[in-house]
Amino acid sequence: MNKANPNYTYLKKKVPEQRITLLQGGTRSGKTFSTIYFFIWLCENYNGLEIDIVRDTFTALKSTVWKDFKQVLVNHNLYSPANHNKTDHIYNLNGNLINYYGADDPAKIHGRARDFLWINESNQLDEETIDQLFPRTRHKIIMDYNPAMPTEHWLDKYIQQYPPLITTYKDNPYLTPDQIRDIESKKNNSYWWSIYGTGERTKPIGVIFENWRIDEFDDSLPFVYGMDFGYVNDPTTLIKVAKDKKNLYLKEYCYSKGMSTKQISEMLTEQINPDDTVIADNAEPRLIAELQELGHRVYPCIKGRDSIMNGITQMQDYTIVIDNDSPNIKKELSNYRWHDKVNKPIDDHNHAIDAARYAYDEISGEAMAYFV
């Protein structure tokens, strides 16, 4: 590179020193092109390496990072069609194999190992995919991302261990004056500017529950468990709920996909006492009946008109106190948001919250009592 971008300099310094290197930045900060040039430099100095480039989908990867990578190769007379296996998405650069694919290809994600892994826009991948990719990477991992993330994200544990380089458009020496003017014209949009202008994380707009904190569950209070059922795509959740005049206490006991009736029964036997009451999603009457036959005090919730909105409104009157060992509740509270066009919540990131709402309705007297 004729002009040094801080991202490029940082990669050359940090990649040899640590397992994971993170690049956090706003729009046009040069993260992608710096990483491309870093790998070209690597391939000029080594051979026999397996390098994988991954993004959330192959369609997105092909139209962004791989398009840029190929163009840089062309510009520097490093591209040859003879070295490009377009069928398998592999480019041979000086005896190093560069594989590029999307995280939407399970065969690739669960496939062979590599020496270097570059995850482009890593904040868009889920943690399960990351957990498949990392153990199959022999040496180094590079992740770039923009900070358009909720306050709780799987990247946080890596950010804490490997502090990222944070860059903005001002660090990119290749931008034209017109590009800079376009970016700076959005300064009046505070949320956009915080993320894409300054490269910093900020609180998402439209979060439903803002008043919550981490603290111990108050076991001196009466409590009820709430349960939401899932299977393939959604988790089955079990949340312990209690309240006093000011606080609503939540504690996570289960958040798992693919659970059969037998497995749910075993989980209840292991996690709670036989006399404890569980208020569950009434959309699964057969499952509730099966759990009752197995000896569990599981009862259907009462869903009246506008029950979701009413439950949310009442829960917002409290400070929600989250037990520290409840990562999925924290994640949901950080992501559960209002729809931007209609006055209702987006039906996502709400499986633990729904379970808590069923239990809240019971302990607040909003539903028919089941205590006998």
Side-chain angles (χ1 to χ4, degrees), residues 240-274:
K240 186 178 182 180
V241 180
K243 75 179 185 71
D244 55 27
K245 291 183 178 180
K246 295 182 179 180
N247 302 308
L248 182 64
Y249 298 88
L250 307 182
K251 185 172 183 178
E252 177 182 321
Y253 280 78
C254 178
Y255 199 98
S256 182
K257 296 178 182 178
M259 295 184 73
S260 65
T261 303
K262 179 182 178 182
Q263 289 172 322
I264 295 174
S265 175
E266 292 172 346
M267 179 273 295
L268 291 172
T269 300
E270 179 181 342
Q271 295 284 1
I272 70 177
N273 294 321

Coordinates of all heavy atoms in Angstrom, one line a residue, residues 240-274:
K240 N -37.4 -18.2 36.0 CA -37.9 -18.0 37.4 C -38.2 -16.5 37.5 O -37.4 -15.6 37.2 CB -36.9 -18.4 38.4 CG -37.4 -18.4 39.8 CD -36.3 -18.9 40.8 CE -36.7 -19.0 42.2 NZ -35.6 -19.5 43.1
V241 N -39.4 -16.2 38.1 CA -39.8 -14.8 38.1 C -40.3 -14.5 39.5 O -41.1 -15.2 40.1 CB -40.9 -14.5 37.1 CG1 -41.4 -13.0 37.2 CG2 -40.4 -14.8 35.7
A242 N -39.9 -13.3 40.1 CA -40.4 -12.8 41.3 C -40.5 -11.3 41.3 O -39.8 -10.7 40.4 CB -39.6 -13.3 42.5
K243 N -41.2 -10.7 42.2 CA -41.3 -9.2 42.1 C -41.5 -8.6 43.5 O -42.1 -9.3 44.4 CB -42.4 -8.7 41.2 CG -43.8 -8.9 41.6 CD -44.8 -8.3 40.6 CE -46.2 -8.4 41.1 NZ -46.5 -7.4 42.2
D244 N -41.1 -7.4 43.7 CA -41.5 -6.6 44.9 C -42.1 -5.3 44.3 O -42.5 -5.3 43.2 CB -40.3 -6.4 45.8 CG -39.1 -5.7 45.1 OD1 -39.3 -5.0 44.1 OD2 -38.0 -5.9 45.5
K245 N -42.2 -4.3 45.1 CA -42.9 -3.1 44.7 C -42.1 -2.4 43.5 O -42.8 -1.7 42.7 CB -43.1 -2.1 45.8 CG -44.0 -2.7 46.9 CD -44.3 -1.6 48.0 CE -45.3 -2.2 49.0 NZ -45.5 -1.2 50.1
K246 N -40.8 -2.5 43.5 CA -40.0 -1.8 42.5 C -39.3 -2.6 41.5 O -39.1 -2.2 40.3 CB -39.0 -0.9 43.2 CG -39.5 0.2 44.1 CD -38.4 1.0 44.8 CE -39.0 2.1 45.6 NZ -37.9 2.9 46.3
N247 N -39.0 -3.9 41.8 CA -38.2 -4.7 41.0 C -38.9 -6.0 40.5 O -39.7 -6.6 41.2 CB -36.9 -5.1 41.7 CG -36.1 -3.9 42.2 OD1 -35.8 -3.0 41.5 ND2 -35.8 -3.9 43.5
L248 N -38.5 -6.4 39.3 CA -39.0 -7.6 38.7 C -37.7 -8.5 38.5 O -36.8 -8.1 37.8 CB -39.7 -7.4 37.4 CG -40.3 -8.6 36.7 CD1 -41.4 -9.2 37.5 CD2 -40.8 -8.3 35.3
Y249 N -37.7 -9.6 39.2 CA -36.5 -10.5 39.2 C -36.6 -11.6 38.2 O -37.6 -12.3 38.2 CB -36.2 -11.0 40.6 CG -35.9 -10.0 41.6 CD1 -37.0 -9.4 42.3 CD2 -34.6 -9.5 41.9 CE1 -36.7 -8.4 43.3 CE2 -34.4 -8.6 42.8 CZ -35.4 -8.0 43.5 OH -35.2 -7.0 44.5
L250 N -35.6 -11.8 37.4 CA -35.6 -12.9 36.4 C -34.4 -13.7 36.5 O -33.3 -13.2 36.6 CB -35.7 -12.3 35.0 CG -36.9 -11.3 34.6 CD1 -36.8 -10.9 33.2 CD2 -38.2 -11.9 35.0
K251 N -34.5 -15.0 36.4 CA -33.4 -15.9 36.4 C -33.6 -17.1 35.4 O -34.7 -17.7 35.4 CB -33.2 -16.5 37.8 CG -31.9 -17.4 37.9 CD -31.7 -17.8 39.4 CE -30.4 -18.6 39.5 NZ -30.1 -19.0 41.0
E252 N -32.6 -17.3 34.6 CA -32.7 -18.3 33.5 C -32.3 -19.7 34.0 O -31.3 -19.9 34.6 CB -31.8 -17.8 32.4 CG -31.6 -18.7 31.2 CD -30.6 -18.1 30.2 OE1 -30.6 -16.9 30.0 OE2 -29.9 -18.9 29.6
Y253 N -33.2 -20.7 33.7 CA -32.9 -22.0 34.0 C -32.8 -22.9 32.8 O -32.1 -24.0 32.8 CB -34.0 -22.6 34.9 CG -33.8 -22.2 36.4 CD1 -34.2 -20.9 36.8 CD2 -33.3 -23.0 37.3 CE1 -34.0 -20.5 38.1 CE2 -33.1 -22.6 38.6 CZ -33.5 -21.4 39.0 OH -33.3 -21.0 40.3
C254 N -33.4 -22.5 31.7 CA -33.3 -23.3 30.5 C -33.5 -22.4 29.3 O -34.3 -21.5 29.2 CB -34.4 -24.4 30.4 SG -34.4 -25.5 28.9
Y255 N -32.7 -22.7 28.2 CA -32.8 -21.9 27.0 C -32.1 -22.8 25.9 O -31.0 -22.7 25.6 CB -32.0 -20.6 27.1 CG -32.4 -19.6 26.0 CD1 -33.3 -18.6 26.3 CD2 -31.8 -19.6 24.7 CE1 -33.6 -17.6 25.4 CE2 -32.1 -18.7 23.8 CZ -33.0 -17.7 24.1 OH -33.3 -16.7 23.2
S256 N -32.9 -23.8 25.4 CA -32.3 -24.8 24.6 C -33.3 -25.3 23.5 O -34.5 -25.4 23.7 CB -32.0 -26.0 25.4 OG -31.4 -27.1 24.7
K257 N -32.7 -25.5 22.3 CA -33.5 -26.0 21.1 C -33.6 -27.5 21.1 O -32.8 -28.2 21.7 CB -32.9 -25.5 19.8 CG -32.9 -24.0 19.7 CD -32.3 -23.6 18.4 CE -32.2 -22.0 18.2 NZ -31.5 -21.6 16.9
G258 N -34.6 -28.0 20.3 CA -34.6 -29.4 20.0 C -35.0 -30.3 21.2 O -34.7 -31.5 21.2
M259 N -35.7 -29.8 22.2 CA -36.0 -30.6 23.4 C -37.3 -31.4 23.2 O -38.3 -30.8 22.9 CB -36.1 -29.7 24.6 CG -34.8 -29.0 25.0 SD -35.0 -28.1 26.6 CE -35.0 -29.4 27.8
S260 N -37.3 -32.7 23.4 CA -38.4 -33.5 23.4 C -39.2 -33.4 24.7 O -38.7 -32.8 25.7 CB -38.1 -35.0 23.2 OG -37.3 -35.5 24.3
T261 N -40.4 -33.9 24.8 CA -41.2 -33.9 26.0 C -40.4 -34.6 27.1 O -40.4 -34.1 28.3 CB -42.6 -34.6 25.8 OG1 -43.3 -34.0 24.7 CG2 -43.4 -34.5 27.1
K262 N -39.8 -35.7 26.8 CA -39.0 -36.4 27.9 C -37.9 -35.5 28.4 O -37.6 -35.5 29.6 CB -38.5 -37.7 27.3 CG -37.7 -38.5 28.3 CD -37.1 -39.8 27.6 CE -36.2 -40.5 28.6 NZ -35.7 -41.8 28.0
Q263 N -37.2 -34.8 27.5 CA -36.1 -34.0 27.9 C -36.5 -32.8 28.7 O -35.9 -32.4 29.7 CB -35.3 -33.5 26.6 CG -34.5 -34.7 26.0 CD -33.9 -34.2 24.6 OE1 -34.5 -33.5 23.9 NE2 -32.7 -34.7 24.4
I264 N -37.7 -32.2 28.3 CA -38.2 -31.1 29.1 C -38.6 -31.6 30.5 O -38.3 -31.0 31.5 CB -39.4 -30.5 28.4 CG1 -39.0 -29.9 27.1 CG2 -40.1 -29.5 29.3 CD1 -40.2 -29.4 26.3
S265 N -39.2 -32.8 30.6 CA -39.5 -33.4 31.9 C -38.3 -33.6 32.7 O -38.3 -33.3 33.9 CB -40.3 -34.7 31.7 OG -40.5 -35.3 32.9
E266 N -37.2 -34.2 32.1 CA -36.0 -34.4 32.9 C -35.4 -33.1 33.4 O -34.9 -33.0 34.5 CB -35.0 -35.2 32.0 CG -35.5 -36.6 31.7 CD -34.6 -37.3 30.7 OE1 -33.8 -36.6 30.0 OE2 -34.7 -38.5 30.5
M267 N -35.4 -32.1 32.5 CA -34.9 -30.8 32.9 C -35.7 -30.2 34.1 O -35.1 -29.7 35.0 CB -35.0 -29.8 31.7 CG -34.5 -28.4 32.0 SD -35.7 -27.3 32.6 CE -36.9 -27.2 31.2
L268 N -37.0 -30.3 34.1 CA -37.8 -29.8 35.2 C -37.5 -30.5 36.5 O -37.4 -29.9 37.5 CB -39.3 -29.9 34.8 CG -39.8 -29.0 33.7 CD1 -41.2 -29.3 33.3 CD2 -39.7 -27.5 34.2
T269 N -37.4 -31.8 36.4 CA -37.1 -32.6 37.5 C -35.7 -32.2 38.1 O -35.6 -32.2 39.4 CB -37.0 -34.1 37.2 OG1 -38.3 -34.5 36.7 CG2 -36.7 -35.0 38.4
E270 N -34.8 -31.9 37.3 CA -33.4 -31.6 37.7 C -33.3 -30.2 38.3 O -32.6 -29.9 39.2 CB -32.4 -31.8 36.6 CG -31.0 -31.4 36.9 CD -30.1 -31.6 35.8 OE1 -30.4 -32.3 34.8 OE2 -29.0 -31.0 35.8
Q271 N -34.1 -29.2 37.6 CA -33.9 -27.8 37.9 C -34.8 -27.3 39.0 O -34.4 -26.3 39.7 CB -34.1 -27.0 36.6 CG -33.1 -27.3 35.5 CD -31.7 -26.6 35.8 OE1 -31.5 -26.0 36.8 NE2 -30.8 -26.8 34.9
I272 N -36.0 -27.8 39.1 CA -36.9 -27.2 40.1 C -37.5 -28.2 41.0 O -37.4 -29.4 40.8 CB -38.0 -26.4 39.4 CG1 -39.0 -27.4 38.7 CG2 -37.4 -25.4 38.4 CD1 -40.2 -26.7 38.0
N273 N -38.2 -27.7 42.1 CA -38.8 -28.6 43.0 C -40.2 -29.1 42.5 O -40.8 -28.4 41.7 CB -39.1 -27.9 44.3 CG -37.7 -27.6 45.0 OD1 -36.8 -28.3 45.0 ND2 -37.7 -26.4 45.6
P274 N -40.6 -30.3 42.9 CA -41.9 -30.9 42.4 C -43.1 -30.0 42.7 O -44.1 -30.0 41.9 CB -42.0 -32.2 43.2 CG -40.6 -32.5 43.6 CD -39.9 -31.2 43.8

